[in-house]
Each structure stands twice: as C-alpha cells, then as structure tokens.
Amino acid sequence: MASVGGDAKKSLTQWLREKGFDEEAIGRMSKRCRNLPNLDAGEASGVWDYLLNDVKIEQRKLRYVVTKCPKVLTMSVNDKLVPTVQCLTTLQAKPGEIAQAIVKFPPILFHSVEEKLCPLLAFFQTLAISEKQLAKLLMVNPRLISYSIQAKFSQTVDFLVGLGIDREVMIGKILTKEPYIMGYSIDKRLRPTAEFLKSAVGLQGSYLQRVIMNFPSILSRDVDKTLRPNLVFLQSAGFSKDQIMKLVAGYPPVLIKSIKHCLEPRVKFLVEEMGRDKGEVVDYPQFFHHGLKRSLEYRHKILKQMNSRCSLSEMLDCNQKKFAMKFGLIPVA
C-alpha cells in the first residue's frame, strides 16, 4: 500500500482534483457523503491505492465507483476492505471478478460479507447451489448480498414453487441461469408476468414450467412494454391462440424479440420469399432465432437454386458445414 505521508498534507478537494474529479462531481459527492469534506487526503489515498493496485479496479472505473459511492473513501483499508475482499476470494472468486462486482455494486463493500455469507450459503445449499455457484451469482449480481433471506429470497423461491417449479431440482438452476430474478418485486413484476403468460398466452402446467425453466428471464420482463406488444403482433400476423402458445413454449424469446428488427421481417420473408405457410414456424419456432441474411436468405437461395424443398428444421437445425454436407454442396467426410 502506498505511503500516505505526502497526501496527508493536501486538502481532500485538491487530492480529488488530481484524481480527475471536477468541481461539480466533488460537490455531488460531498452531498452524498457528509463526512467526506472532513476526510484526510492521506486516508482517502490509502483506499484509492488499495482498490487500484490490489483489487485491480481500472482507474476510470474507480472514479465511477467513488463518484457513485463516495463513502468508500472513508472506509478502513485493514479493518474493512481487506477482510471483505479476502472473504470474497475464499468463495473462489477471481480478483478480476471481485473488481467487476465492486464496480457493479459498490455498496457490497459496506455489507458484512462474512456475516452474510454463512446464512446465504446455507440457504442456497437447500436449493442445490454450491459454494462455487454462489460465488458466480454474487459476481454477476453482487446486489444479492444486500437482500434479506426471509423478505426476499424465501418469498421468491416460494413464488416459483407455487408455479410448479421443483424446489430441490430446478429452482437452483433457474437462479444460476438468471441471478437477477431475485431483485424483482413479486407483486409488481413476477406475478403479473406469470399471470399474463397463463391467461393471455395460454401457458399452463408443464408448458409454463418449461418456459420458466428454459428462459427464466421472461418473468422479469414488463408485460405492457414488451410482452403484450409482441403478443399483439403475433395475433395480427394471423397466428391462432393455440399456435402462439406453442410458439412461446418452443421458443420463449419470441415474446421479447424486436418486432421491427426480428419478428416482422422474418414472418414477411417466410411468407413472401419462401412461399411457406406461417404455421410451419409453429413446428420449428427456433426459426426466429436464425439470422435473416446469414442464415435464412442464404440457405433459401441455395435450396431454390437446387429446386429442393425441406422442412424448416431440416433447413436450419444445423451449422453451415453440416447444411452444405446435407445438400451435397461439399462431399461428406
């Protein structure tokens, strides 16, 4: 750690200016942290040097951390910062991951990680989430450390169980796949979205469970801003309710893809250029996953030149090399 002797003689404002903070930013930081103006520049320098040199936070990102959470500069390096970083390291988190986690959620440094981790580990182990997986969850979504087990985690798990998701087998996999789901309000986001999927889309029982397990982030999407407009488009395109249900069950992202840049041009190409019935995508909803120019247009052109016709899955459910081999464009190895 760098010596603080030289910096101790400087005013904190002068020191902040040297680190690249302008007057406006310093003013905002002082309002956010009332103790900041009384802080010794040498103490602030010790925190800065530790986060920069030991934790390896890039300087521009460190400025962002301090601007967003100036209280960081008031922390004790040896009594707080070092133990917190060491505790995260024991979870098999790599130094670079810890730096990223701090940048994503600077308040992670204020929580008693040691006191939080044991209860968190015990809770997540009941969901078949290992210590290594928990470390990954925290590095992806460090805000998890601030949530209450009873008020947040348990209620979200109970909500998912209520949808028919197996607690011991599948919920851990869902959380590992979508760590941010824990941050959403059950009443304001998760439940309204689940009700929309059940009532408007028609997903029930195993269909609903499969969608949530395969694409859990769909529960965090806003119904009126994202899901409903896509449903309305599919209805206007001529898909029946049963067909839409099968489309969503087979390829849940169809409800969040851009209408303008994805759904509309692909449906138009399918009907007008490929001369196929829209119903064909119900049997192969991954159609909406494939690139329009690099995959759909190219392969359709090849098949048209060969006067060959096949199902959408035969045409698309393989990489370029296998497609070429399948239709004799290159010899089979």
Side-chain angles (χ1 to χ4, degrees):
M1 195 182 303
S3 170
V4 298
D7 286 314
K9 299 177 182 177
K10 299 177 183 177
S11 72
L12 184 70
T13 300
Q14 181 185 355
W15 180 83
L16 287 170
R17 289 196 198 103
E18 291 176 359
K19 295 302 179 186
F21 298 92
D22 58 29
E23 298 299 323
E24 184 180 350
I26 294 173
R28 288 198 306 268
M29 289 158 60
S30 297
K31 290 180 181 178
R32 288 181 178 177
C33 181
R34 294 182 180 179
N35 293 331
L36 195 65
N38 301 321
L39 183 65
D40 187 279
E43 295 175 4
S45 181
V47 173
W48 182 275
D49 290 345
Y50 175 73
L51 294 174
L52 181 70
N53 301 320
D54 292 71
V55 183
K56 306 297 183 184
I57 299 177
E58 295 176 27
Q59 187 156 308
R60 63 182 180 85
K61 292 183 179 179
L62 185 52
R63 275 197 294 269
Y64 165 80
V65 169
V66 172
T67 302
K68 188 175 182 180
C69 197
K71 186 180 175 182
V72 166
L73 293 177
T74 70
M75 301 179 74
S76 166
V77 174
N78 293 323
D79 294 340
K80 183 62 180 174
L81 291 179
V82 172
T84 298
V85 171
Q86 287 178 342
C87 190
L88 292 172
T89 304
T90 61
L91 280 177
Q92 302 180 46
K94 300 174 183 177
E97 293 175 331
I98 295 173
Q100 291 173 13
I102 294 171
V103 173
K104 286 181 183 178
F105 185 61
I108 193 175
L109 295 172
F110 304 131
H111 290 275
S112 177
V113 179
E114 289 178 314
E115 292 178 12
K116 278 277 203 173
L117 278 181
C118 286
L120 270 180
L121 276 171
F123 177 78
F124 279 112
Q125 282 172 353
T126 67
L127 305 174
I129 295 178
S130 67
E131 185 174 311
K132 187 175 182 179
Q133 288 173 316
L134 175 58
K136 184 177 180 181
L137 288 175
L138 286 175
M139 294 304 100
V140 172
N141 184 14
R143 194 177 293 270
L144 290 173
I145 201 77
S146 68
Y147 296 154
S148 161
I149 290 177
Q150 293 302 319
K152 198 71 173 173
F153 292 121
S154 293
Q155 290 187 22
T156 302
V157 169
D158 289 344
F159 169 75
L160 293 172
V161 170
L163 295 177
I165 307 298
D166 186 280
R167 179 188 174 95
E168 296 181 0
V169 178
M170 294 309 306
I171 288 186
K173 294 181 180 179
I174 287 174
L175 299 185
T176 307
K177 189 179 290 187
E178 180 49 40
Y180 294 100
I181 198 170
M182 284 291 187
Y184 288 93
S185 165
I186 293 174
D187 293 328
K188 293 181 180 179
R189 179 58 59 87
L190 303 184
R191 182 171 287 114
T193 301
E195 290 302 318
F196 173 83
L197 293 174
K198 289 191 284 187
S199 60
V201 181
L203 294 170
Q204 299 291 337
S206 61
Y207 282 107
L208 177 64
Q209 293 152 22
R210 187 172 68 186
V211 166
I212 294 172
M213 289 187 289
N214 291 338
F215 194 65
S217 64
I218 197 168
L219 283 176
S220 63
R221 303 304 173 118
D222 186 276
V223 169
D224 293 321
K225 291 181 180 179
T226 305
L227 305 184
R228 197 182 306 280
N230 281 38
L231 175 63
V232 170
F233 168 78
L234 293 172
Q235 291 169 334
S236 66
F239 292 103
S240 68
K241 184 171 184 177
D242 185 61
Q243 287 178 321
I244 292 174
M245 186 272 290
K246 290 179 180 177
L247 277 174
V248 176
Y251 186 63
V254 75
L255 279 182
I256 68 167
K257 289 283 188 179
S258 166
I259 294 173
K260 180 180 179 181
H261 299 293
C262 178
L263 302 185
E264 191 171 32
R266 279 161 181 75
V267 170
K268 183 177 180 181
F269 183 76
L270 177 80
V271 176
E272 297 183 6
E273 298 298 325
M274 300 179 73
R276 293 175 181 259
D277 186 271
K278 289 188 292 289
E280 288 193 50
V281 300
V282 177
D283 295 324
Y284 186 69
Q286 291 79 10
F287 170 82
F288 292 106
H289 170 72
H290 293 278
L292 184 58
K293 293 190 178 295
R294 295 184 63 183
S295 186
L296 300 180
E297 291 184 3
Y298 168 75
R299 296 190 185 189
H300 171 65
K301 180 180 178 181
I302 296 296
L303 293 175
K304 189 174 182 180
Q305 290 173 347
M306 297 175 62
N307 196 27
S308 178
R309 187 168 180 85
C310 62
S311 68
L312 290 177
S313 62
E314 290 173 322
M315 171 184 171
L316 298 168
D317 199 15
C318 56
N319 59 32
Q320 293 286 51
K321 183 177 180 180
K322 289 183 178 179
F323 171 81
M325 292 170 59
K326 182 186 294 187
F327 292 97
L329 302 178
I330 59 174
V332 178

